[in-house]
């Protein structure tokens, strides 16, 4: 299979990053969202990220122009039907993702590969709701996409070897490294990472330490570049909560129970950096702990 054109569903934090790296690698990208403002913001973000790379001497003005020239945007989901690869990067809700694939399927070429950027949802189950489970797999990029080198490749139970090999080659062409995972809840990275974050929230909830102490302890004591609560805000507390629920439901094991304090922050709409408040308040020049 030869991939030349790539459709991306969702122009948010992950979607615009995925569009960026594919366009920079020379693929023609069609970026879709239900909101024109989101598409405009995505292009602006890609432009800013390219400018940052330009200022560091990593790319030239010609590279920037070529990358932006590879990206087209659309509000019509079915416009992605004739691309060689479609990557869904919508919100982490299974019903939403399934509806996207069901809408796309009648408009796809027979050879089009379908992929989801899901961080935790069953690839096998999503694939089963399409007409091509053999040509469906998980392609989980890390955030921020242009910076992070890892991509998790997750094969559903029906994913064929040709699809896997094709996506392995694509990841290489993007200049990234693939980690192959089996289709179990949250795969590799988030199965290890998010329960650690959840445990940090329990440590806060139970009064063992405050926000500053917990993050400092892990940065200086475990050499983590970001503290777990700072990282939770960066990921999005709603995403962390969703992943913990997928783990809890998938394994029926109490060690994956989401911390009640995490649930409370999500209920309050304190979702981290994207809402301006989570375990830190981001309204000023310097983030301030909220607990």
């Amino acid at each position: 299979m030869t991939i030349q054109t790539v459709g991306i569903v969702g122009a948010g934090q992950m979607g615009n990053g995925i569009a960026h790296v594919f366009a920079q690698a020379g693929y023609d990208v069609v970026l879709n969202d239900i909101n024109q403002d989101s598409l405009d913001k995505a292009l602006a973000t890609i432009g800013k990220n390219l400018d940052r790379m330009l200022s560091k001497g990593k790319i030239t003005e010609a590279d920037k122009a070529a990358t932006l020239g590879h990206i087209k945007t659309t509000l019509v989901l079915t416009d992605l039907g004739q691309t060689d690869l479609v990557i869904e990067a919508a919100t982490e809700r299974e019903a939403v993702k399934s509806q996207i694939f069901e809408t796309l399927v009648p408009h796809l070429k027979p050879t089009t590969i379908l992929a989801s950027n899901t961080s935790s949802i069953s690839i096998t189950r999503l694939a089963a709701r399409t007409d091509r489970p053999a040509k469906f797999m998980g392609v989980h990029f890390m955030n921020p996409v242009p910076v992070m080198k890892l991509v998790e490749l997750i094969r559903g139970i029906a994913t064929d070897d040709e699809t896997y090999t094709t996506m392995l080659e694509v990841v290489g062409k993007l200049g990234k490294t693939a980690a192959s995972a089996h289709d179990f809840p949250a795969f590799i990275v988030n199965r290890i990472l998010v329960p650690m974050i959840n445990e940090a929230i329990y440590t806060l909830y139970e009064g063992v330490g405050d926000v500053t102490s917990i993050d400092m302890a892990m940065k200086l004591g475990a050499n983590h570049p970001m503290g777990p609560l700072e990282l939770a805000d960066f990921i999005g507390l709603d995403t962390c909560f969703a992943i913990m629920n997928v783990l809890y439901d998938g394994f029926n094991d109490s060690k994956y129970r989401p911390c009640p304090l995490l649930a409370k922050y999500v209920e309050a709409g304190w979702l981290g950096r994207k809402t301006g408040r989570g375990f830190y308040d981001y309204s000023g020049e310097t983030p301030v702990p909220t607990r």
Side-chain angles (χ1 to χ4, degrees):
M1 295 179 184
T2 301
I3 306 297
Q4 294 178 319
T5 56
V6 181
I8 298 167
V9 184
Q13 192 173 37
M14 296 303 294
N16 75 61
I18 296 168
H20 175 157
V21 297
F22 270 98
Q24 193 173 348
Y27 293 94
D28 290 322
V29 173
V30 184
L31 179 61
N32 162 260
D33 201 280
I34 58 174
N35 188 300
Q36 184 62 48
D37 187 48
S38 294
L39 291 171
D40 294 341
K41 286 180 179 176
L43 290 177
T45 298
I46 293 168
K48 287 177 184 176
N49 288 337
L50 289 168
D51 284 338
R52 190 177 298 115
M53 296 175 74
L54 186 62
S55 68
K56 294 178 180 179
K58 293 182 177 179
I59 62 171
T60 65
E61 282 283 3
D63 294 330
K64 176 187 173 182
T67 298
L68 292 173
H70 279 299
I71 304 172
K72 295 179 181 178
T73 62
T74 181
L75 293 169
V76 182
L77 178 62
T78 53
D79 284 351
L80 277 56
Q82 295 307 299
T83 58
D84 302 319
L85 166 66
V86 176
I87 300 176
E88 169 274 315
T91 186
E92 192 69 355
R93 287 175 20 218
E94 187 169 343
V96 172
K97 294 178 184 296
S98 293
Q99 183 59 54
I100 287 167
F101 289 122
E102 287 171 12
T103 302
L104 270 173
V105 160
H107 304 275
L108 298 175
K109 298 189 297 183
T111 55
T112 298
I113 293 175
L114 289 177
S116 177
N117 183 58
T118 179
S119 54
S120 60
I121 296 168
S122 168
I123 297 302
T124 299
R125 198 161 59 236
L126 289 173
R129 294 177 183 143
T130 74
D131 65 341
R132 61 196 66 206
K135 295 186 185 305
F136 192 113
M137 68 183 301
V139 182
H140 180 218
F141 289 82
M142 305 296 119
N143 185 32
V145 179
V147 176
M148 301 295 279
K149 292 296 185 183
L150 184 74
V151 179
E152 282 184 310
L153 290 181
I154 306 101
R155 297 179 69 156
I157 197 169
T159 306
D160 63 24
D161 290 341
E162 186 181 16
T163 298
Y164 172 75
T165 301
T166 299
M167 292 313 303
L168 196 60
E169 290 174 358
V170 167
V171 169
K173 288 178 182 177
L174 297 179
K176 299 193 181 294
T177 301
S180 298
H182 291 293
D183 186 23
F184 290 97
F187 320 130
I188 296 172
V189 173
N190 283 325
R191 178 163 175 183
I192 297 168
L193 177 65
V194 180
M196 182 203 76
I197 289 172
N198 193 56
E199 194 62 29
I201 299 169
Y202 266 114
T203 305
L204 177 65
Y205 175 62
E206 294 168 2
V208 179
D210 59 18
V211 169
T212 301
S213 296
I214 292 166
D215 277 351
M216 184 187 302
M218 295 307 292
K219 284 192 281 189
L220 300 184
N223 205 28
H224 289 192
M226 296 173 73
L229 302 177
E230 182 185 6
L231 181 56
D233 277 359
F234 182 75
I235 294 169
L237 303 191
D238 52 340
T239 301
C240 293
F241 186 57
I243 293 169
M244 286 308 301
N245 277 313
V246 166
L247 284 164
Y248 190 41
D249 293 342
F251 292 113
N252 197 28
D253 189 328
S254 62
K255 74 177 181 179
Y256 296 119
R257 184 172 69 99
C259 180
L261 183 61
L262 173 59
K264 194 61 64 180
Y265 269 60
V266 172
E267 286 174 359
W270 293 13
L271 307 181
R273 284 179 178 268
K274 62 186 173 185
T275 59
R277 178 172 286 192
F279 291 110
Y280 292 86
D281 185 327
Y282 298 92
S283 59
E285 288 186 16
T286 305
V288 178
T290 54
R291 290 183 81 85

